Amino acid sequence: MPGARPGPGRRSVLRAAGGGLLAAGGFGALSACGIPAAGKSEGGIAADDRSAKEKRLAFSNWTEYMDVDKKKRRPTLDAFTKRTGIEVEYTEDINDNNEFFGKVKPQLAAGQDTGRDLICVTDWLAARLIRFGWVQKLDPAQLPHAYANLSAQFRSPDWDPGRAYSYPWTGISTVIAYNKKATDGERITSVSQLLDEPKLKGRVGFLSEMRDTMGMVLLDLGKDPAKFTDDDFDAAVARLQKAVDKKQVRRFTGNDYTADLDKGDLAACVAWAGDVVQLGLANPDIEFVVPESGYITSTDNLLIPNKARHKRNAERLIDYYYEPGPAARLAAYINYVCPVDGVRDELAKLDPEAAANPLILPDKAMAAKSHAFRSLTPEEETAYEGAFAKLTGS
């Protein structure tokens, strides 16, 4: 169902906010608010699970992150309710990670119910919630499809080894995008071209999300974003600073890069794959490239907060979206990386182009080039976000 979703995906709207709270005050600011220092969670705090008696659950998600039909119904959620009898109170009340963290922080810190049984947050915030012990360990016995069908590249992030507390809702790939008309037909295939190609001067964009931009520069320098050192990070900052100083880079952007790339004001940029898929549906001049050096992968993740009252119902919903049918219908609508193996045939019935698009279903070659930005200590996060903010002028 190409074009069913209006405009670029929600990913372009929010990533710039990631880490801003830490850049401003670090984990010391969190501790001052009564939040415990990061520590290894032992499984969170359960409530009396009312799932057997109360056939419902409350699910908080991002905007435009669920399939919707022409009548504004949500087909996959409706099918889940019809099958299980479980009503889903579905709320799109997550606009950015820090803002949502501020909403749920007081209840979680006090050991209280947030009123939500299932939430969807980006990996760095998922990691923080797990460290604080504010989410519950999942029951593998309730997740047979999720356990069997989770794609290999998402199985064991360093912040949640073995996916004990989380399962991906979608994957987010950071790639290079360019406008063929704006580059006079020249293919842009590397971050080095973005940083050094004279023909692109003043028409290059990087993302205002530190992990995506710095991860891509680290890869271009031959460094592994999963293992880099302070010296590696400093070298990447210096490499990017040089391009900024010579005005090679037009700006660091959040959602607004999509309009500039579409018009050609940006000839090439680091971009989020879901946006590139959507732009390409309307503008055939928009192309993407996965550099030989690789690309950055992150995830948005489903977690069950402490004191959630319908944990088993929430686990049933997680598992449902790891069945190929519902997973395919979701992927056909939102156009982000589907983390579910075995979905290709189902997706091809709905949208052959989506099924063949490696930005939605990565093939082995693309999956092999994916790299995750490693988890940071509180001290690293404060320092790296601060250095990046100075570089970008934010």
Side-chain angles (χ1 to χ4, degrees):
M1 51 194 282
R5 200 163 139 254
R10 72 97 189 156
R11 169 60 39 183
S12 62
V13 179
L14 63 101
R15 283 305 291 270
L21 176 64
L22 293 181
F27 270 66
L30 300 180
S31 298
C33 298
I35 296 175
K40 183 63 178 176
S41 169
E42 294 301 330
I45 303 172
D48 291 333
D49 194 346
R50 304 180 185 182
S51 294
K53 296 181 179 179
E54 299 177 357
K55 295 293 186 179
R56 61 185 174 89
L57 71 99
F59 179 11
S60 285
N61 205 353
W62 304 87
T63 59
E64 295 187 22
Y65 231 20
M66 180 64 72
D67 53 306
V68 179
D69 65 16
K70 293 179 180 179
K71 295 183 179 180
K72 304 300 182 183
R73 296 174 300 196
R74 298 186 174 97
T76 57
L77 282 180
D78 291 345
F80 173 78
T81 297
K82 184 176 181 180
R83 181 201 294 184
T84 64
I86 298 170
E87 296 284 344
V88 181
E89 180 187 337
Y90 181 76
T91 308
E92 295 181 338
D93 62 342
I94 305 180
N95 295 306
D96 72 65
N97 288 288
N98 278 323
E99 179 185 315
F100 183 70
F101 182 65
K103 287 181 182 179
V104 298
K105 176 179 63 179
Q107 295 101 321
L108 290 173
Q112 299 172 351
D113 178 20
T114 67
R116 299 167 175 87
D117 300 297
L118 193 63
I119 61 175
C120 182
V121 297
T122 306
D123 44 19
W124 64 264
L125 181 53
R128 186 192 297 175
L129 295 174
I130 292 169
R131 287 198 305 268
F132 288 163
W134 287 355
V135 292
Q136 297 187 54
K137 184 169 284 188
L138 302 173
D139 182 356
Q142 301 302 318
L143 298 161
H145 296 98
Y147 183 82
N149 295 337
L150 176 60
S151 298
Q153 73 181 98
F154 300 114
R155 279 195 174 268
S156 196
D158 64 356
W159 49 269
D160 186 16
R163 291 289 181 181
Y165 298 89
S166 69
Y167 269 90
W169 180 246
T170 56
I172 304 106
S173 299
T174 303
V175 297
I176 290 175
Y178 64 97
N179 185 316
K180 290 188 293 185
K181 188 176 292 185
T183 64
D184 296 324
E186 180 181 354
R187 293 187 75 239
I188 308 302
T189 61
S190 71
V191 171
S192 290
Q193 280 178 281
L194 297 180
L195 295 171
D196 298 323
E197 174 59 59
K199 292 180 181 179
L200 300 179
K201 184 174 182 178
R203 297 186 298 148
V204 168
F206 282 86
L207 295 169
S208 50
E209 164 56 36
M210 182 273 287
R211 290 162 179 81
D212 290 319
T213 285
M214 297 310 298
M216 292 293 280
V217 177
L218 283 164
L219 285 169
D220 193 68
L221 291 173
K223 304 299 181 180
D224 185 349
K227 300 177 181 178
F228 69 90
T229 65
D230 286 348
D231 288 343
D232 295 334
F233 188 85
D234 290 344
V237 168
R239 178 90 167 90
L240 192 51
Q241 185 68 61
K242 182 178 178 181
V244 170
D245 291 344
K246 67 181 182 182
K247 302 191 184 305
Q248 179 79 4
V249 178
R250 183 183 183 92
R251 60 198 181 104
F252 294 84
T253 66
N255 64 305
D256 43 352
Y257 80 86
T258 54
D260 285 351
L261 183 63
D262 187 43
K263 292 185 296 183
D265 291 342
L266 283 177
C269 61
V270 172
W272 291 304
D275 295 339
V276 179
V277 173
Q278 289 292 318
L279 286 173
L281 294 173
N283 185 347
D285 288 323
I286 303 300
E287 298 277 0
F288 80 92
V289 168
V290 176
E292 281 300 315
S293 58
Y295 68 101
I296 294 294
T297 300
S298 55
T299 51
D300 283 333
N301 308 274
L302 300 172
L303 303 100
I304 299 175
N306 283 355
K307 294 289 187 173
R309 299 185 179 188
H310 306 97
K311 179 175 185 284
R312 182 155 296 186
N313 290 345
E315 289 170 333
R316 290 184 71 179
L317 186 64
I318 295 172
D319 197 60
Y320 168 75
Y321 278 104
Y322 273 81
E323 297 178 23
R329 288 189 286 276
L330 181 67
Y333 187 82
I334 66 176
N335 292 151
Y336 282 94
V337 176
C338 180
V340 181
D341 277 344
V343 78
R344 189 177 303 276
D345 289 346
E346 292 293 328
L347 184 54
K349 297 175 187 176
L350 300 170
D351 186 344
E353 291 184 11
N357 192 330
L359 295 182
I360 298 174
L361 294 182
D363 55 24
K364 289 183 179 180
M366 184 162 179
K369 291 184 177 181
S370 69
H371 298 266
F373 196 96
R374 69 172 172 81
S375 295
L376 303 177
T377 67
E379 295 78 15
E380 286 175 329
E381 191 152 16
T382 301
Y384 293 169
E385 290 284 3
F388 188 69
K390 183 177 179 181
L391 168 69
T392 61
S394 59

